[in-house]
Amino acid sequence: MPELERLAAHHAPAVLRFERENRAYFARYVPDRGDDFFTGYAARHAALLDEQERGTCHFHVLVGDHGAVLGRFNLVDVAGGSAELGYRVAERAAGRGLASEGVRRVCELARTEYGLRRLVASAALANPASLAVLRRAGFVPDHRVELDGEPGLRHVLDLRAPYAAASP
């Protein structure tokens, strides 16, 4: 199984490769990040590490063979014991349970390492795979949202209660 690692400076080239290789695939489900994201990635990566150092975010990469990034699992807007979960998995790794496993692991880190009590996550209704990942991890639908003009569903996970993500 690939390793879930906290984002570090040495991950920058692999993360950029992951984002470039999967740009079109991700754009099917979420808005494209634009060319500036790629041309200015070194500065963006440094800014992410600064945010992580301040404790306002916790970024993770799922690393496979030879250091290849297979997924990203992030906790952002950390405040008051809560954070928002976001994740993406490479097209070549989709359908193998890596999204579910990565989300489960990040939820456990959120509870045990980061002391969080609640996570929220949203997914587009047009992305049933992502909705299923959230539900398998124990997230409960909360309310409908609009995600870049598309209908979506916000989910909540109470990390203090027993939940499905705690199971192997």
Side-chain angles (χ1 to χ4, degrees):
M1 185 69 177
E3 292 297 317
L4 186 69
E5 299 177 5
R6 190 163 169 88
L7 187 68
H10 74 271
H11 291 121
V15 171
L16 180 57
R17 190 175 318 108
F18 165 83
E19 293 291 348
R20 279 188 175 140
E21 289 173 356
N22 293 283
R23 184 177 184 179
Y25 174 66
F26 295 149
R28 287 190 247 164
Y29 304 104
V30 295
D32 184 69
R33 293 184 165 178
D35 293 338
D36 289 346
F37 176 87
F38 298 94
T39 58
Y41 187 75
R44 173 74 179 133
H45 193 84
L48 293 176
L49 294 176
D50 286 344
E51 286 182 71
Q52 185 167 261
E53 184 66 29
R54 289 193 307 274
T56 59
C57 298
H58 301 288
F59 302 107
H60 306 85
V61 289
L62 191 64
V63 180
D65 294 338
H66 311 292
V69 171
L70 300 174
R72 297 181 69 182
F73 298 85
N74 302 320
L75 300 170
V76 299
D77 299 332
V78 175
S82 183
E84 184 165 343
L85 169 70
Y87 59 93
R88 52 181 53 203
V89 172
E91 183 174 23
R92 68 184 175 96
R96 298 185 353 209
L98 295 179
S100 293
E101 181 61 18
V103 166
R104 185 194 66 74
R105 290 185 198 178
V106 166
C107 289
E108 186 61 20
L109 286 171
R111 187 177 65 76
T112 61
E113 298 296 319
Y114 308 137
L116 299 176
R117 298 181 305 276
R118 180 176 181 263
L119 296 179
V120 297
S122 297
L125 294 180
N127 190 349
S130 192
L131 293 167
V133 165
L134 293 174
R135 295 208 176 119
R136 276 193 296 274
F139 281 81
V140 177
D142 186 43
H143 64 272
R144 288 187 176 259
V145 294
E146 192 172 294
L147 302 169
D148 298 301
E150 299 296 323
L153 194 55
R154 178 181 164 129
H155 292 73
V156 177
L157 177 64
D158 182 350
L159 294 170
R160 297 169 295 183
Y163 62 96
S167 307

